[in-house]
Amino acid sequence: MKRQQLIVYGALTWSAIYGGLGYHWWAGGGGFPFGDPRAGVGMSLFEGVTAGTMAPVIALAGTAGVLVAALARRLPSPLVAAFAWTAGAVLLFLLPDIRLMQNMAYALGGYFGLVDWPVLNQLVCILGGALWVGVALSTRRGDSRPWPWRRIGRWATAVAVLGPLPYGLQRAAWTAGIPLGVDQAYVDTLRADFAAKGLVWGQQYLLPLLCLGGALLTLGLAQRWGREFPRWVPVLGGRAVPEAMAVVPASIVSVAVTVAGLTMARALVAADAGDWATGGAGLFFLPWGLALGVATVAYHYTRGHVPVSPIAWPRPQPDMRP
């Protein structure tokens, strides 16, 4: 079965399952993941929504997704593409919120205390969004004017490398007890929260370190070592980097950062001076996330689809002695 068919069947299956959940919530079933009061004011577009208003939309949208995917070969390609792009954009950038990035960062440090069903549901939505974007891309019939992806990728990578540094610098200062842009009381409250969560020194500096490490890894999208393992790497040195190793994590981070950037932008529109001091660095999230997404697409188109050589593990030789 071709990959395009698998993606369409995947979108159909996902739409059937999530649409079924919509009917379950519409009928009064438990587990509705939106409208969570613990999300925090301004964190989500759907913080005040109820199952009675949103569940019917989910159910009907899931049903529409099943029909579009099932009839994808018979429907006009522009219609399928329009539905797929819309579904992908909603599932990737509107339904998730900043808790996705927050919990990804904490999870890398071994802390899962904030993970719950509303957060896991955001990962489910991202999976569905990725499938529908795949359906949209499968409707393309070629491009007579190829984009200059190599040049676009270099500029996008530069923006994506610089994007996390302001936030990382500010968080490092706060963690060290330096009130950069804020008053001392805010820093003391932040450090008290670290203590309440039981975070040790390395976990407290996780966010600044992730910003720095992410910036360094992003460089690989435009460097040779992002396509071929350096010679000094044991076993893998000189071999092609599997495309999924770079594209999958970069795509997930791009979505999470873009969603966080949209959340920060909405929150700061109606913010006062104090909120700007604590969240101003978050304005870099949106260009960071978008640039990382563009750089990832450029990486895909410019790496030349280098085949990955299988790793030749040493095998024991049979004893041929007489």
Side-chain angles (χ1 to χ4, degrees):
M1 185 181 295
K2 295 182 178 179
R3 183 172 62 178
Q4 293 179 348
Q5 291 177 307
L6 286 174
I7 293 174
V8 172
Y9 289 146
L12 187 155
T13 303
W14 185 93
S15 298
I17 294 174
Y18 207 73
L21 286 174
Y23 284 108
H24 166 73
W25 297 324
W26 192 358
F32 183 67
F34 301 98
D36 184 2
R38 293 171 296 176
V41 177
M43 273 193 170
S44 171
L45 284 173
F46 305 97
E47 61 191 18
V49 75
T50 63
T53 56
M54 190 168 178
V57 177
I58 295 173
L60 296 177
T63 302
V66 170
L67 294 175
V68 170
L71 302 174
R73 290 187 174 183
R74 301 180 183 181
L75 295 174
S77 293
L79 177 61
V80 176
F83 180 91
W85 281 120
T86 301
V90 170
L91 290 168
L92 288 175
F93 300 114
L94 293 185
L95 295 185
D97 58 53
I98 199 171
R99 288 174 295 170
L100 177 65
M101 179 178 174
Q102 178 189 51
N103 281 277
M104 284 174 56
Y106 279 131
L108 290 174
Y111 179 75
F112 301 91
L114 300 179
V115 177
D116 53 13
W117 164 235
V119 172
L120 295 176
N121 173 71
Q122 296 183 32
L123 294 176
V124 175
C125 291
I126 287 177
L127 173 61
L131 289 169
W132 276 110
V133 168
V135 173
L137 292 174
S138 70
T139 63
R140 296 179 59 191
R141 294 294 183 265
D143 190 351
S144 59
R145 298 181 59 188
W147 286 25
W149 284 113
R150 193 171 300 279
R151 184 167 67 251
I152 293 173
R154 285 197 296 265
W155 282 103
T157 300
V159 175
V161 168
L162 296 174
L165 298 182
Y167 178 77
L169 175 63
Q170 189 177 46
R171 289 292 304 206
W174 293 349
T175 305
I178 303 172
L180 182 61
V182 297
D183 56 27
Q184 189 63 46
Y186 181 86
V187 174
D188 293 340
T189 301
L190 183 66
R191 302 183 76 182
D193 181 64
F194 286 155
K197 289 184 171 69
L199 302 180
V200 298
W201 184 90
Q203 292 174 311
Q204 294 176 14
Y205 280 94
L206 180 65
L207 289 178
L209 291 174
L210 286 176
C211 290
L212 178 60
L216 293 176
L217 289 175
T218 301
L219 279 174
L221 297 176
Q223 300 291 324
R224 181 175 178 178
W225 56 266
R227 292 159 169 76
E228 180 181 290
F229 289 107
R231 296 288 178 180
W232 53 264
V233 176
V235 180
L236 299 176
R239 300 185 182 277
V241 175
E243 185 174 350
M245 183 180 290
V247 169
V248 172
S251 299
I252 294 174
V253 172
S254 172
V255 170
V257 172
T258 300
V259 168
L262 291 170
T263 304
M264 295 298 295
R266 290 195 308 267
L268 290 176
V269 165
D272 55 25
D275 292 329
W276 275 89
T278 58
L283 290 179
F284 291 93
F285 283 12
L286 186 56
W288 169 20
L290 294 175
L292 180 57
V294 173
T296 304
V297 174
Y299 173 87
H300 166 72
Y301 282 112
T302 59
R303 64 172 276 128
H305 301 283
V306 181
V308 180
S309 301
I311 300 174
W313 296 105
R315 297 181 179 179
Q317 298 297 321
D319 188 356
M320 303 300 292
R321 293 177 297 178

